[in-house]
Amino acid sequence: MNSIVVTGDRPTGQLHLGHYVGSLTQRLELQHQHEMFILIADTQVLNNDISKSQEVKKHTLSLMRDYLGVGLNPEKIHFVLQSRVPALFELTQYLSNLVSLSFVMRNPTIKNENKLYNHDLNMGFLNYPISQTSDIVLFNGELVPVGADQVPILEFANDVIEKFHGNFKCNVFKKIQPLLSSTPRLCGLDGNNKMSKSLNNAIFLSDSLKDLKKKINSMYTDRNHLAISDPGQIEGNVVFTFLDIFMEDRILLEEFKAHYQRGGLGDSYLKNILFDILSPLLESINSNGQQFSDSYLKEVLDEGTQYANQIANEQMNKIRDIIFL
Ligand code: TRP
């Protein structure tokens, strides 16, 4: 049987083109080849800032709308609401006893995120690598698509699995394999190497065409390319970075690059080309997404979560038997 895919997202707001390139297109392919669980990590997201808990429901719905809008198929994928799978919490509690605080603190992702968010270290945050281990092993997950920044968390999960197997002399869990996206990370409108809502440099999948136009027009190009006839630079030019990822006609793209470097090709010409490429994509995601009512999206999530509970409870019974013999 094909390996099971488990992945997840924190519901923090609308998805943007960076997510589309980095994870959604990969999931669109995987859904045809593998059984897949996508967790909406509405418990994990509370680690960021629990005072924003009242926004989580809204973000969960908008995630579901974006998922179905891009073409993720609920007939093929189990969409799971993390907070509604009690066995996840139980397993996390057991696994916590196998992990020392210093081991968590040494994890590169934890170190980075701690620096990045600079929040008062709460227990929920420190426990999230363990909780994420539960997310994966409770559904027999083997392939786990994540961003590169999450790879140390999956290495951590494999260490926890090994500790569990060693301690209880068993072999119930599969070794986890990270699946990285083959597309390079999409930069932000400003050229920052990460597109992100909090950096205010993102094109959202739900943006209107008017917003798209405005955002493309604001893209960083080459600050020395003042007159159209000036030679321009490709490296670090956000418009070319986007064209590199989204433009299918590679021959024409190479011509554009040569012409731009020679001089004589204007930024606004290229920005119009990019708009013509991105607008049908956003339009189709949006019009697809809009056809689903809130109640339908909730139903899909409920169904996936119900199935997930069935699998999780079976797995949890096995685990309890192993721990308590
Ligand atoms: N930590 C992941 C992120 O922020 C989200 C996530 C939660 C996840 N549970 C998961 C990813 C399980 C993969 C598998 O992107």
Side-chain angles (χ1 to χ4, degrees):
M1 210 186 71
N2 269 347
S3 344
I4 292 175
V5 175
V6 177
T7 188
D9 293 306
R10 298 177 180 220
T12 53
Q14 308 122 301
L15 297 181
H16 52 61
L17 276 182
H19 296 116
Y20 180 77
V21 168
S23 64
L24 296 172
T25 49
Q26 187 191 37
R27 293 176 190 177
L28 285 170
E29 280 179 32
L30 286 170
Q31 70 178 349
H32 299 297
Q33 300 139 5
H34 295 273
E35 179 170 7
M36 173 155 52
F37 293 84
I38 298 182
L39 273 86
I40 297 190
D42 65 336
T43 307
Q44 193 181 97
V45 77
L46 300 179
N47 307 152
N48 297 4
D49 186 354
I50 198 164
S51 73
K52 299 214 177 102
S53 64
Q54 75 284 355
E55 293 175 11
V56 174
K57 249 192 191 157
K58 181 181 76 192
H59 293 329
T60 295
L61 263 189
S62 92
L63 257 189
M64 284 301 294
R65 192 176 301 287
D66 286 342
Y67 286 158
L68 300 207
V70 298
L72 294 180
N73 185 347
E75 311 255 299
K76 296 186 193 283
I77 298 174
H78 314 295
F79 295 99
V80 184
L81 192 60
Q82 191 185 36
S83 65
R84 295 286 143 176
V85 185
L88 285 172
F89 299 89
E90 184 180 353
L91 181 56
T92 300
Q93 184 64 28
Y94 295 141
L95 295 181
S96 301
N97 301 302
L98 293 163
V99 181
S100 72
L101 181 59
S102 62
F103 186 66
V104 177
M105 299 291 280
R106 259 185 276 135
N107 187 277
T109 305
I110 290 294
K111 275 198 206 159
N112 271 344
E113 290 182 349
N114 185 26
K115 246 189 273 158
L116 211 63
Y117 302 126
N118 197 23
H119 47 40
D120 199 7
L121 267 184
N122 64 62
M123 296 304 293
F125 171 74
L126 285 175
N127 224 27
Y128 108 72
I130 303 178
S131 142
Q132 191 157 321
T133 306
S134 305
D135 290 347
I136 299 164
V137 301
L138 211 50
F139 304 113
N140 302 299
E142 220 173 323
L143 299 179
V144 182
V146 284
D149 51 337
Q150 284 275 302
V151 170
I153 298 290
L154 300 189
E155 284 164 2
F156 176 99
N158 275 326
D159 288 335
V160 175
I161 289 172
E162 249 177 54
K163 287 176 204 282
F164 189 93
H165 288 164
N167 192 76
F168 296 108
K169 315 268 178 296
C170 66
N171 195 24
V172 273
F173 303 130
K174 306 244 168 60
K175 191 171 158 59
I176 293 166
Q177 214 181 301
L179 271 189
L180 294 175
S181 154
S182 53
T183 327
R185 177 137 107 179
L186 192 63
C187 68
L189 298 169
D190 52 1
N192 185 302
N193 76 357
K194 189 174 180 179
M195 178 176 277
S196 122
K197 182 182 170 188
S198 56
L199 295 173
N200 205 14
N201 64 6
I203 296 176
F204 296 105
L205 301 184
S206 54
D207 274 346
S208 66
L209 295 190
K210 208 171 129 207
D211 289 336
L212 177 66
K213 185 108 211 157
K214 239 195 328 201
K215 287 182 178 178
I216 290 178
N217 282 336
S218 78
M219 273 180 178
Y220 180 81
T221 54
D222 170 5
R223 93 164 61 81
N224 298 316
H225 187 239
L226 296 175
I228 293 181
S229 54
D230 289 342
Q233 196 172 317
I234 309 284
E235 297 79 40
N237 187 318
V238 178
V239 179
F240 276 108
T241 309
F242 274 61
L243 289 174
D244 264 333
I245 290 177
F246 290 101
M247 189 161 166
E248 276 169 25
D249 189 340
R250 310 308 284 183
I251 295 172
L252 186 59
L253 177 57
E254 288 314 309
E255 280 173 24
F256 283 159
K257 283 184 182 174
H259 194 173
Y260 193 79
Q261 282 170 316
R262 249 188 348 257
L265 192 57
D267 285 345
S268 60
Y269 180 83
L270 290 170
K271 286 179 170 178
N272 283 334
I273 299 271
L274 182 59
F275 178 79
D276 290 342
I277 292 172
L278 291 182
S279 52
L281 176 68
L282 288 202
E283 245 184 337
S284 92
I285 295 174
N286 263 315
S287 63
N288 281 343
Q290 287 316 318
Q291 56 174 356
F292 304 113
S293 65
D294 286 1
S295 62
Y296 174 75
L297 296 172
K298 279 184 199 145
E299 221 174 90
V300 169
L301 188 55
D302 271 354
E303 251 175 53
T305 305
Q306 235 173 44
Y307 177 77
N309 268 300
Q310 221 175 295
I311 302 293
N313 289 337
E314 282 169 23
Q315 180 82 325
M316 202 60 236
N317 281 336
K318 271 197 236 164
I319 296 167
R320 257 186 245 110
D321 283 348
I322 290 170
I323 298 177
F324 298 107
L325 276 177

